[in-house]
Amino acid sequence: MGETIELWRLVAISTLLLWDIDGTLISGRGAGRRAMNKAFQQLYGVSDAFDLVEDMAGGLDYAFIKAVFAKHQAKAPRIDTFLEAYFQTLEAEVAEGRTELLPGVLDILERGVRERSVFHSLGTGNVEGGARIKLQVFDLNRFFPVGGFSESEAERHLVLQKGVRLAEEYYRVAFAQRDVIVIGDTTRDIDAARRIGARVIAVATGGSSADELYKAEPDLLLRDLRDADAFFSFVQG
Ligand SMILES: [Mg+2]
């Protein structure tokens, strides 16, 4: 008596959808890069500093910031100071209304919530504050109580792993590796998914072309997320 037992949800198969953000849920149209450039200029007087990062798609915010700080030998680089400025410039960027919710996303997120065996989490290269600002524009934070974010220069697959672990704690569900499905728009998402034994749905709405994604051999390749039936027949098939 008095013993507390943690009840983990008992369903035959529980699937975790681990979502990338940029190019998958939304298109930022360069808002992140512009906001980082503006923040760095405000703090250190250098313009377009982040243009040295050729390809941000599928990368990690911390890795970009470290590379730029190293290049410009920013005085007493304080990542938290930079991030504070970045969140303000990002808020201003997204307020200009140039970001876009990608087609089909809302239907799939809502249907995922209705399915008892499907759960949502994030696996993104954004720092959490930046991710939340981007998602808030389209009221998408309600789908993602937890997620894995860029918190250090740790590689992307570790970010995914954290997105899985926090989802298991939050939903009180244990997900088998093969029942974690990463949804992303770059070959980097596919590589990271493989490293954690997850399956992967690639969508050709962002950083990598359909051809590049095809060559990286995702489990499912979609032009976009408009076909919810195709999406869920793979997820629950
Ligand atoms: Mg992406």
Side-chain angles (χ1 to χ4, degrees):
M1 295 295 285
E3 190 179 355
T4 306
I5 300 170
E6 281 203 355
L7 290 175
W8 288 61
R9 196 172 305 218
L10 294 171
V11 286
I13 296 172
S14 294
T15 303
L16 182 67
L17 303 181
L18 202 55
W19 292 90
D20 170 61
I21 295 179
D22 298 291
T24 302
L25 295 173
I26 63 167
S27 172
R29 295 187 175 152
R33 183 190 293 272
R34 283 193 302 275
M36 285 193 181
N37 275 335
K38 284 180 185 166
F40 199 85
Q41 179 158 27
Q42 283 173 11
L43 290 171
Y44 302 107
V46 177
S47 60
D48 301 325
F50 282 80
D51 289 1
L52 75 85
V53 183
E54 270 181 37
D55 185 13
M56 283 192 166
L60 299 171
D61 282 355
Y62 261 89
F64 309 148
I65 295 166
K66 287 275 186 164
V68 167
F69 275 25
K71 160 90 190 283
H72 294 286
Q73 297 173 320
K75 283 172 200 147
R78 288 283 307 266
I79 293 223
D80 48 356
T81 306
F82 174 77
L83 288 178
E84 224 170 276
Y86 166 58
F87 296 152
Q88 286 185 14
T89 54
L90 184 61
E91 290 268 17
E93 279 291 331
V94 300
E96 288 181 25
R98 282 192 295 237
T99 58
E100 176 194 3
L101 178 63
L102 287 166
V105 164
L106 196 58
D107 277 354
I108 286 183
L109 291 176
E110 284 175 344
R111 184 160 157 187
V113 169
R114 289 197 301 272
E115 299 284 344
R116 289 188 58 203
S117 62
V118 175
F119 301 86
H120 294 303
S121 182
L122 291 167
T124 171
N126 282 276
V127 293
E128 179 160 12
R132 295 299 180 191
I133 290 167
K134 292 177 182 182
L135 293 173
Q136 185 52 43
V137 179
F138 305 103
D139 191 25
L140 299 186
N141 280 314
R142 63 197 159 110
F143 296 106
F144 305 107
V146 291
F149 305 90
S150 174
E151 295 176 336
S152 66
E153 295 148 281
E155 293 172 82
R156 190 171 184 99
H157 72 282
L158 299 174
V159 169
L160 297 184
Q161 243 167 23
K162 187 153 187 197
V164 174
R165 185 169 59 74
L166 292 177
E168 289 187 321
E169 288 171 7
Y170 180 84
Y171 296 116
R172 295 172 179 263
V173 175
F175 299 102
Q177 274 187 344
R178 62 173 298 284
D179 296 323
V180 174
I181 300 177
V182 170
I183 304 113
D185 66 302
T186 69
T187 57
R188 287 168 168 172
D189 296 278
I190 298 173
D191 294 342
R194 294 303 179 216
R195 292 188 69 177
I196 66 163
R199 290 184 291 160
V200 50
I201 298 174
V203 280
T205 47
S208 300
S209 68
D211 198 43
E212 287 168 329
L213 293 172
Y214 178 78
K215 285 180 186 146
E217 299 182 354
D219 298 281
L220 180 67
L221 174 59
L222 296 173
R223 191 189 312 266
D224 56 42
L225 292 171
R226 266 183 273 219
D227 191 345
D229 288 336
F231 182 94
F232 280 98
S233 77
F234 172 79
V235 165
Q236 298 177 305

